[in-house]
Amino acid sequence: MLGGFELTDATDVPELGSFLFTVRDMHGEHDEAILVRCADPEAAPPEGAVLDSVEADDADGDDDSSEPLAVEAWINRCPHEDQRLDRGQGAAMRDGQVICPKHGSMFDSCSGYCDNGEAKGTNLVPLDLEIEDGVVYLTDDDYRLVGAGGIDDDDDGPSSTSHIGF
């Protein structure tokens, strides 16, 4: 095992959506984070992307291919405004981008960069990961794993005034 905290099997990270988990920072404060698949594991991975050769769903939904699976972890918050990206049902995603539910800004699932909308020019806050034998580990020195799920799964999170529906 690596010197980190076991999150989940890489194949359990949804193709569209996110795996929500809670971390504690070095000051003892709890925060939520999301684990997402990178948009195109066939493309050259961005610096920092975590790759592993594990069974990944191919286009027809069968588990009959073995191709690199890239995953990334981000703090579950839009940097433009304190808005949760995943409110407990998985982050909205489209074309390899995580969508902020409040203003519709889209963040690249591999780099965390936003090039549109209210959050243009910002980046999601990354967390360090590694994959070993198909299992994703949180290896970030600044965060400790609290557990799967959100901080308060009974809380619906911040309200949104967005007219955008997903």
Side-chain angles (χ1 to χ4, degrees):
M1 182 187 100
L2 299 169
F5 302 92
E6 183 176 334
L7 285 171
T8 189
D9 288 340
T11 55
D12 290 339
V13 178
E15 190 171 332
L16 291 175
S18 58
F19 175 85
L20 180 65
F21 61 101
T22 300
V23 295
R24 185 180 66 245
D25 69 18
M26 60 185 143
H27 304 291
E29 297 295 320
H30 287 86
D31 213 341
E32 291 181 352
I34 57 173
L35 186 62
V36 296
R37 290 191 187 193
C38 286
D40 186 4
E42 298 286 327
E47 184 177 333
V50 180
L51 297 173
D52 193 28
S53 292
V54 296
E55 294 295 315
D57 291 343
D58 60 14
D60 64 8
D62 296 333
D63 285 334
D64 57 4
S65 66
S66 181
E67 56 189 50
L69 177 63
V71 296
E72 284 292 337
W74 309 104
I75 293 296
N76 186 29
R77 186 172 45 254
C78 176
H80 163 251
E81 205 171 281
D82 192 16
Q83 180 70 36
R84 293 169 61 199
L85 301 168
D86 180 339
R87 297 178 180 173
Q89 292 81 34
M93 294 186 69
R94 180 178 36 215
D95 299 328
Q97 296 185 320
V98 179
I99 305 167
C100 175
K102 186 158 188 179
H103 293 111
S105 294
M106 298 172 70
F107 299 87
D108 183 82
S109 63
C110 291
S111 71
Y113 181 73
C114 178
D115 65 359
N116 63 74
E118 298 287 331
K120 183 176 182 175
T122 64
N123 289 290
L124 297 176
V125 176
L127 286 85
D128 295 334
L129 302 172
E130 289 188 30
I131 298 178
E132 183 178 280
D133 297 327
V135 177
V136 181
Y137 292 88
L138 175 66
T139 58
D140 198 301
D141 291 337
D142 294 331
Y143 295 94
R144 301 290 177 259
L145 180 65
V146 173
I151 291 173
D152 183 4
D153 286 332
D154 295 332
D155 181 15
D156 290 332
S159 64
S160 175
T161 58
S162 175
H163 63 280
I164 300 171
F166 300 105

